[in-house]
Amino acid sequence: MSTKKVLNLLQRGWTALVDPDREERLQRGVALVHRALSEQRDNFHLEATLARHEIDEADRDEIARRIFQKCVTKAWSDTELSSKEVRTLEWVAQHLRLSGQETARILRDQAETVFASILAQAFQDGILDDAEFSQLIHVATVAGSTVTEFFRTRFREQGEGFLRSLFFRILENGSLDQTNWSRITKTVSRLGLSQDEFHAVVQEPAQQWAEH
């Protein structure tokens, strides 16, 4: 579990202790504000909606974050984000009065989640195929990044473990032929690892195999 998730968990636990009714209050606020936003569209005003439903001003930011997170999660549900969906999310963030920094954080966190799910599928079957790689490019691009940067900064440990496991399985089968080698090196290249980095990753399973 990441440090951020641990801190969030602790924060939620502390909040539940000192304000046990907050979660129920927030869920009610999210439902009411989200409904008003959907129905009123450009006529929606956050402050007026909060006042009309007697929603505590102190809960405003968390309600806005949760609604935006729901919208972002739904938009990314097909692992793609169209230009129309991007514009819609910008509109939602604007009407919810979210800061640019908070908007970018939520978008990037969700992109990271989608990126991870695509990688997990690739790791499961042992092949990062063209379709999956195109999806990774799309996700990283929407997040203002690259596949290499996303992989290096967020998924390198899992990715290196996958490469070691894949390499070891191939060695166990006794068939490190050109097809298997090309598959591995293509995946390595797509994830942005250099040849030296790849050799360091597979050095241990190669030695274990050689010693048997």
Side-chain angles (χ1 to χ4, degrees), residues 5-190:
K5 289 183 179 179
V6 171
L7 292 176
N8 287 338
L9 183 62
L10 291 174
Q11 179 63 41
R12 288 196 298 271
W14 173 252
T15 300
L17 180 65
V18 300
D19 187 1
D21 299 325
R22 185 169 189 257
E23 185 57 33
E24 182 179 351
R25 199 169 65 240
L26 286 171
Q27 290 180 11
R28 171 182 174 272
V30 167
L32 291 170
V33 174
H34 199 178
R35 184 183 305 123
L37 179 64
S38 299
E39 294 175 351
Q40 298 170 18
R41 304 295 296 172
D42 287 333
N43 293 322
F44 172 84
H45 295 284
L46 180 58
E47 289 75 10
T49 301
L50 296 177
R52 182 166 59 255
H53 295 291
E54 298 181 339
I55 297 172
D56 194 332
E57 179 69 21
D59 293 332
R60 184 182 81 165
D61 290 346
E62 181 62 21
I63 288 172
R65 279 193 290 269
R66 291 190 183 194
I67 293 173
F68 187 66
Q69 179 65 66
K70 287 177 64 175
C71 293
V72 171
T73 300
K74 181 178 180 180
W76 269 116
S77 61
D78 59 354
T79 69
E80 293 185 5
L81 199 64
S82 68
S83 56
K84 180 180 179 180
E85 288 171 326
V86 170
R87 291 193 298 271
T88 298
L89 291 176
E90 290 173 346
W91 179 90
V92 171
Q94 178 184 356
H95 281 72
L96 291 175
R97 303 294 180 86
L98 282 174
S99 68
Q101 182 178 5
E102 186 68 8
T103 299
R105 182 193 66 76
I106 293 172
L107 287 169
R108 190 172 182 88
D109 284 352
Q110 187 62 31
E112 180 178 322
T113 298
V114 176
F115 193 95
S117 70
I118 299 169
L119 270 186
Q121 179 60 42
F123 292 175
Q124 185 175 9
D125 60 26
I127 302 173
L128 181 59
D129 62 30
D130 292 343
E132 289 165 339
F133 186 59
S134 294
Q135 287 179 308
L136 292 181
I137 292 174
H138 172 74
V139 174
T141 300
V142 169
S145 185
T146 64
V147 171
T148 297
E149 192 272 336
F150 245 49
F151 178 76
R152 285 183 176 276
T153 58
R154 290 166 174 77
F155 302 100
R156 179 158 181 162
E157 182 176 347
Q158 300 97 310
E160 289 183 352
F162 156 71
L163 291 173
R164 279 192 292 268
S165 297
L166 175 60
F167 189 71
F168 195 71
R169 287 202 305 270
I170 292 173
L171 291 178
E172 282 184 325
N173 291 333
S175 177
L176 186 57
D177 57 21
Q178 186 60 44
T179 299
N180 286 326
W181 181 251
S182 296
R183 179 198 305 174
I184 294 176
T185 55
K186 186 175 183 179
T187 297
V188 168
S189 176
R190 284 178 160 178

